[in-house]
Amino acid sequence: MAIRFPSMLSHAKQILARNQQVVPKGHVPVYVGEQADKKRYVVPLSYLSHPTFQYLLQRAEEEFGFDHPMGCLTIPCSTETFFKLTSELKC
């Protein structure tokens, strides 16, 4: 007879997944994309105070409120738009 520990196994998988997604100090993870085509990026915290990035945050607030489906900040725009806007920002 085998002993099962489903909750322990689930918890261990979460810890491993979390360790693979370590965010450097001074950065914040964001998900970018539309619908099911979302990708995770890590951006400097300094971006949060830039007016261009704040516009993206306002769009995220309008679409998701404070309930982000991916578990962290989700920016509702295409990755091309995100790269274009963030490439103009200075850290």
Side-chain angles (χ1 to χ4, degrees), residues 3-37:
I3 299 174
R4 294 185 179 206
F5 297 108
S7 63
M8 288 179 62
L9 181 60
S10 174
H11 184 65
K13 287 180 181 179
Q14 289 175 352
I15 291 172
L16 288 173
R18 199 176 316 143
N19 288 338
Q20 293 174 355
Q21 299 178 359
V22 174
V23 178
K25 185 175 182 177
H27 291 74
V28 62
V30 296
Y31 283 95
V32 178
E34 296 170 345
Q35 301 300 338
D37 188 32

Side-chain angles (χ1 to χ4, degrees), residues 22 25 27 32 36 42 49 51 56 60 66 69 77:
V22 174
K25 185 175 182 177
H27 291 74
V32 178
V42 178
S49 62
L56 294 175
F66 294 105
C77 70

